[in-house]
Amino acid sequence: MSRTRAWAELLRLPALFTVPGDAIAGAAAASATPTPRTLLAVGSSVCLYEAGMALNDWADRGEDAVDRPHRPLPSGRIHPDAALAVASALTGAGLAFAARAGRPALTVAAPLAATVWAYDLRLKHTPAGPPAMAAARGLDLLLGAAATSGHTRKALSSAVLLATHTLAVTAVSRQETRGGSPLAPVAALGTAGLLTRVLTRAASRLPAGREQAGAYGPAGDSRATAADALRLALGAAYASTVARPYLHATLNPSPPLTQRAVSSGIRATIPLQAALAARSGDGASAALFVAALAPLGRRFAKKVSVT
């Protein structure tokens, strides 16, 4: 059991619930119905995400020995060579899933994998770190669009919104062990407000051809109203998840409050993904499925830290 817990900590398993929504939101943004290729994209995303988690601790094992000696590698519960081997195997598996989903998916997954490795091994402690992490999340959403529909153009705006949120959270996370300036959390708070405004103002988009099919009759109007209500509720859930922790970290950027803000930002990825899926006229089912992952993530976060 102790070894199982060590791997759960290394891979930050509660954060895993934030991953499937990337591909699902990407498919919805592309106005495509999820297919088995969407599931392959989810599998690819999960593998590449967990590869990044293992590689992160392998690259930071010296720093963790000072700041986080309880982590699996510096505490000796997992050997560094095992963490590196798992990161390499998961990367290979992620690329294999993407290849199985088709050439468009692999075209996105390859730079995504490269970004993950570049971030962990080189960019993390440089000014390019937060943009690299943001790019990885954006590419992960585009992976779902590419695998499901074969193209990514329609999903670009959703990818930018998800990447913007990730950029803000990553900027805050850079000072979670030592505390620091309130600039990062106040910027993240402003970013969350801007994203909430975009999510709640955007009108639901009907799939291509529905306008010509008379979707603006009474049934179409009712459906659009329900979709907008769902999108508004999910936008509110996103804002409520991050607003108070970001504000507290702004007023007192101490390590505990900063870590709480980072944890909330990670968990807020799920309602954000769900809201992005709900922007599509046919995305309600996908949005509800993604939103249902949030309570699971909260439950497991009580046992294993997501940061």
Side-chain angles (χ1 to χ4, degrees):
M1 289 297 294
S2 61
R3 187 166 180 80
T4 299
R5 181 174 179 83
W7 280 104
E9 291 178 13
L10 178 73
L11 299 175
R12 295 173 177 82
L13 287 186
L16 191 61
F17 292 98
T18 72
V19 180
D22 287 348
I24 295 171
S31 299
T33 301
T35 68
R37 291 190 175 187
T38 310
L39 295 179
L40 289 170
V42 170
S44 177
S45 297
V46 167
C47 289
L48 294 176
Y49 185 88
E50 292 292 36
M53 290 297 180
L55 187 63
N56 174 80
D57 275 32
W58 181 85
D60 282 355
R61 61 194 185 280
E63 177 184 332
D64 285 347
V66 177
D67 294 333
R68 295 173 286 264
H70 61 280
R71 293 292 300 160
L73 268 60
S75 67
R77 290 177 291 158
I78 294 177
H79 195 279
D81 290 348
L84 182 60
V86 166
S88 300
L90 287 171
T91 300
L95 292 174
F97 275 123
R100 183 67 176 173
R103 182 176 295 179
L106 183 59
T107 301
V108 177
L112 171 56
T115 301
V116 169
W117 280 72
Y119 173 83
D120 283 329
L121 298 182
R122 178 70 65 175
L123 303 177
K124 184 191 311 179
H125 299 298
T126 73
M133 179 64 79
R137 272 290 186 178
L139 286 169
D140 204 30
L141 186 146
L142 295 179
L143 175 58
T148 309
S149 67
H151 58 80
T152 60
R153 182 178 56 83
K154 290 183 179 180
L156 287 175
S157 63
S158 291
V160 169
L161 294 176
L162 181 60
T164 300
H165 165 75
T166 305
L167 178 66
V169 177
T170 308
V172 176
S173 73
R174 289 164 72 89
Q175 58 187 43
E176 66 177 324
T177 59
R178 297 181 177 88
S181 168
L183 292 180
V186 76
L189 183 61
T191 299
L194 177 62
L195 290 176
T196 301
R197 182 175 177 82
V198 172
L199 292 171
T200 56
R201 283 174 61 90
S204 295
R205 189 174 69 245
L206 288 170
R210 288 289 176 85
E211 295 86 349
Q212 289 75 20
Y216 289 115
D221 290 341
S222 175
R223 181 181 177 186
T225 299
D228 286 342
L230 175 61
R231 177 177 45 78
L232 290 170
L234 292 170
Y238 165 72
S240 65
T241 302
V242 295
R244 181 176 293 181
Y246 281 167
L247 179 59
H248 288 173
T250 297
L251 297 175
N252 179 13
S254 62
L257 292 180
T258 302
Q259 291 166 13
R260 188 176 301 172
V262 174
S263 178
S264 297
I266 294 172
R267 289 189 291 104
T269 303
I270 296 177
L272 174 59
Q273 294 162 334
L276 292 173
R279 297 171 80 203
S280 168
D282 265 359
S285 297
L288 291 172
F289 175 81
V290 173
L293 298 175
L296 293 174
R298 285 196 301 270
R299 178 180 178 182
F300 283 92
K302 296 177 180 179
K303 301 179 179 180
V304 179
S305 174
V306 300
T307 65

